[in-house]
Amino acid sequence: PFAESETRENQKTFRRLPLPSRDVNNDGYIEIPFMYGLSGYEDAGDSEKQYLTDWSYFDGKSYHTAFSAWYCREQGYYLVFDNNWSNGVTVIYDAKEGTAVFCEWDSANTRAGEEIVRITPFKATDFLASPPEDYVKLAETSDKVFAAKLGKGQSALSITVEQLRQNFKFITE
């Protein structure tokens, strides 16, 4: 089910990140990570592209997606996308700062649109001493605080702080 019919090559499970197939949600099924380039990165080089990972299982007939997520290996976390985000959101990642900006994808103008949320890692001591204005803490490690700043708009793709905290996960494998 994975090989292309003409070339007999398997491009479906090619991964740009070391993500092995596993039961990611404890439902008894082994999910397979399928990676797709996010909108806006069609012409970018491989090192610049941002990907959405769909964790799916195969029931012998078809694939079923358990969830989709954007991975930030450099900072050690991933963000689960709500179902309505999968085709309507792109990510602008600043590797130097470690900041990920999740934006609506403006398909009519083929560009990133309104900012939905910005996730930034801060030194824990700095954040706790003087939390940046408009940022809320999502999670922390021994030396970092991961905080989010919500966009100002109220679109159908907006997300709440509670949803962000639920969807923000540390990479454990």
Side-chain angles (χ1 to χ4, degrees):
F2 303 115
E4 299 292 331
S5 59
E6 291 179 16
T7 62
R8 306 290 298 153
E9 291 180 346
N10 176 6
Q11 290 294 315
K12 283 192 175 283
T13 58
F14 177 75
R15 299 178 187 105
R16 283 126 185 107
L17 296 173
L19 297 171
S21 297
R22 62 184 189 275
D23 185 358
V24 292
N25 58 358
N26 298 315
D27 64 356
Y29 292 100
I30 300 296
E31 281 84 20
I32 304 161
F34 296 108
M35 297 180 77
Y36 303 98
L38 285 169
S39 296
Y41 292 94
E42 295 81 6
D43 297 326
D46 278 345
S47 65
E48 299 167 358
K49 282 187 179 180
Q50 297 297 317
Y51 295 92
L52 185 66
T53 301
D54 282 350
W55 287 95
S56 302
Y57 68 92
F58 187 70
D59 67 3
K61 295 180 184 173
S62 60
Y63 297 102
H64 304 275
T65 300
F67 67 88
S68 301
W70 175 79
Y71 279 77
C72 184
R73 299 268 322 156
E74 298 87 353
Q75 297 295 329
Y77 74 89
Y78 63 96
L79 186 70
V80 176
F81 272 34
D82 285 342
N83 288 338
N84 64 334
W85 273 30
S86 292
N87 294 317
V89 173
T90 195
V91 180
I92 301 168
Y93 181 66
D94 180 340
K96 184 178 177 189
E97 299 295 324
T99 298
V101 180
F102 297 81
C103 300
E104 289 187 31
W105 178 247
D106 181 350
S107 57
N109 296 306
T110 60
R111 65 177 182 81
E114 185 177 318
E115 184 173 320
I116 300 167
V117 66
R118 172 182 301 258
I119 298 176
T120 304
F122 294 93
K123 265 182 75 175
T125 53
D126 294 346
F127 186 89
L128 298 173
S130 180
E133 189 175 337
D134 295 330
Y135 277 87
V136 293
K137 183 170 75 169
L138 296 178
E140 62 185 295
T141 64
S142 60
D143 62 337
K144 289 181 190 174
V145 169
F146 293 88
K149 181 177 181 181
L150 296 177
K152 302 288 185 204
Q154 293 298 318
S155 78
L157 299 175
S158 294
I159 191 166
T160 66
V161 171
E162 292 76 25
Q163 289 171 306
L164 274 172
R165 286 183 175 141
Q166 182 178 353
N167 292 355
F168 183 93
K169 313 276 186 193
F170 287 112
I171 299 170
T172 58
E173 291 183 18

